[in-house]
Amino acid sequence: MDTHLDLQPAPPREDAQWPKGAAYLDGTFMPAAEARIPAGDWGYRRSDVTYDVVGVWDGCFFRLDDHIARFRASMTRLRMQPRESDAEIREILIETVRRSGLRSAYVSMDCLRGTPAPGAPRIPSSARPWLLCQALPWVWVASLEQQRKGVSLMIPEVRRIPAESFDPRVKNFHWGDLTDGLFEAEAAGADFPILLDGAGHVTEGPGFNVFCVVQGKVLSPRSGALEGITRRSVLELCEDLGLPFEVRDIPADEFRAADEIFCATTAGGVWGARRIDGRALGNDAPGEITERLRTRFWRKRAEGWHATKVA
């Protein structure tokens, strides 16, 4: 499929100021390598932080306003109100990319809670939330070679943090379960884990949403996972291509027996699996529906779909 798609990230502009990455740290722009988080802040000490990531490809953001809206919803859910408005965050992200000179970039926006001032109550409402935004060179969750061949997935023993403990729709750094899953996948010779919830339903992988295809229908988990922006895009593509889809609970056994499995994320778009728990899917390669969606995703991106150009 890569013979039909040019998926090499565009090089930085020749006049790039900080091609290794630019950052906005609580009001100040700087090279990303100079950005520092205070060791005493609760964003670090307690992982009291929410974030979002938006991609820039060939000089254009993809669904920038959707990502900012999700970021705001996460901050509101965690009772974080930084001084910057959504319109200001939008300009900060664009300016960070401008200053980096990157034309293909991984652009993050973090809201971290600080620490209460001396003598203030040691409670979250006493700590000021602040922003760290970065534009870094493009990264792939799955390499282009993995995307070409299809990734190998497995279902680990570790379960996803239950929604009753922390809302998975709030993007967060609580990766203890996902990290354990990655170690289990490595030990099993697989590329990535797909975690189940407490009821045995599929949720997500480390940094990506997951889908399966059963008898021609695209299925996506109903709950227990981040409501991904790229996931939303996949469902739009299903409508464009006339593919039936359904958002519902997916039991582990149904997932293992699926005709196709694929993943979706900002840092990679759409890419397919070739195996699940050692079982080969189809011809031990990404399936036909997966590749139709992947091709359509990148070609629509090239046409300016949901694009915001970095001037």
Side-chain angles (χ1 to χ4, degrees):
M1 183 57 61
D2 288 338
T3 59
H4 302 96
L5 295 171
D6 180 9
L7 295 183
Q8 295 300 325
R13 298 196 317 263
E14 291 185 2
D15 61 347
Q17 183 178 3
W18 297 322
K20 293 184 178 180
Y24 168 91
L25 182 71
D26 198 20
T28 303
F29 290 96
M30 64 189 68
E34 296 178 11
R36 298 287 186 271
I37 297 172
D41 274 19
W42 286 356
Y44 167 69
R45 300 294 300 175
R46 299 183 177 181
S47 194
D48 195 353
V49 55
T50 187
Y51 74 108
D52 217 289
V53 177
V54 58
V56 170
W57 190 263
D58 284 344
C60 292
F61 282 95
F62 181 60
R63 305 194 79 141
L64 175 58
D65 293 329
D66 290 333
H67 280 278
I68 292 172
R70 186 175 65 178
F71 184 46
R72 178 61 64 181
S74 294
M75 291 189 290
T76 299
R77 174 65 180 82
L78 297 184
R79 300 178 177 86
M80 292 180 169
Q81 185 65 46
R83 62 190 175 190
E84 295 87 351
S85 68
D86 287 1
E88 289 169 331
I89 292 172
R90 191 179 197 275
E91 289 306 311
I92 287 165
L93 297 176
I94 292 172
E95 181 63 20
T96 303
V97 176
R98 284 197 194 106
R99 295 195 182 210
S100 74
L102 294 167
R103 296 181 59 236
S104 295
Y106 175 99
V107 184
S108 63
M109 53 198 106
D110 303 355
C111 186
L112 306 96
R113 210 179 308 272
T115 188
R122 300 287 291 177
I123 56 177
S125 59
S126 295
R128 180 179 69 88
W130 56 277
L131 293 185
L132 167 61
C133 302
Q134 299 185 82
L136 302 172
W138 180 268
V139 295
W140 297 104
V141 170
S143 70
L144 289 177
E145 177 64 13
Q146 287 176 317
Q147 294 180 46
R148 184 187 67 79
K149 293 171 53 180
V151 297
S152 175
L153 304 174
M154 59 87 70
I155 296 177
E157 291 294 324
V158 64
R159 297 295 177 99
R160 194 72 174 100
I161 295 171
E164 294 80 6
S165 296
F166 192 88
D167 187 347
R169 295 171 299 178
V170 176
K171 205 165 174 66
N172 63 83
F173 290 164
H174 303 163
W175 266 54
D177 50 355
L178 297 171
T179 299
D180 276 354
L182 283 164
F183 277 115
E184 286 193 51
E186 183 180 19
D191 297 314
F192 299 106
I194 303 297
L195 275 63
L196 306 178
D197 63 16
H201 297 135
V202 170
T203 63
E204 61 188 342
F208 55 85
N209 288 116
V210 67
F211 304 75
C212 65
V213 180
V214 177
Q215 297 182 346
K217 179 182 285 189
V218 176
L219 305 179
S220 180
R222 179 182 62 83
S223 61
L226 180 72
E227 294 179 348
I229 303 298
T230 310
R231 172 181 177 269
R232 184 189 308 175
S233 303
V234 167
L235 299 182
E236 291 178 7
L237 291 175
C238 286
E239 290 187 349
D240 287 349
L241 295 171
L243 296 171
F245 64 88
E246 185 177 0
V247 177
R248 64 167 171 82
D249 291 334
I250 305 172
D253 287 345
E254 181 180 23
F255 188 73
R256 290 189 180 100
D259 302 315
E260 301 180 33
I261 295 173
F262 63 93
C263 312
T265 179
T266 291
V270 178
W271 32 277
R274 63 184 181 87
R275 295 196 172 191
I276 175 67
D277 282 344
R279 171 188 169 250
L281 294 159
N283 295 321
D284 201 16
E288 179 185 354
I289 289 176
T290 298
E291 292 295 74
R292 286 179 66 193
L293 287 165
R294 180 171 182 249
T295 300
R296 186 67 174 145
F297 175 84
W298 285 108
R299 289 185 177 165
K300 286 197 71 168
R301 290 281 301 271
E303 294 166 0
W305 186 42
H306 294 304
T308 299
K309 189 172 181 60
V310 179

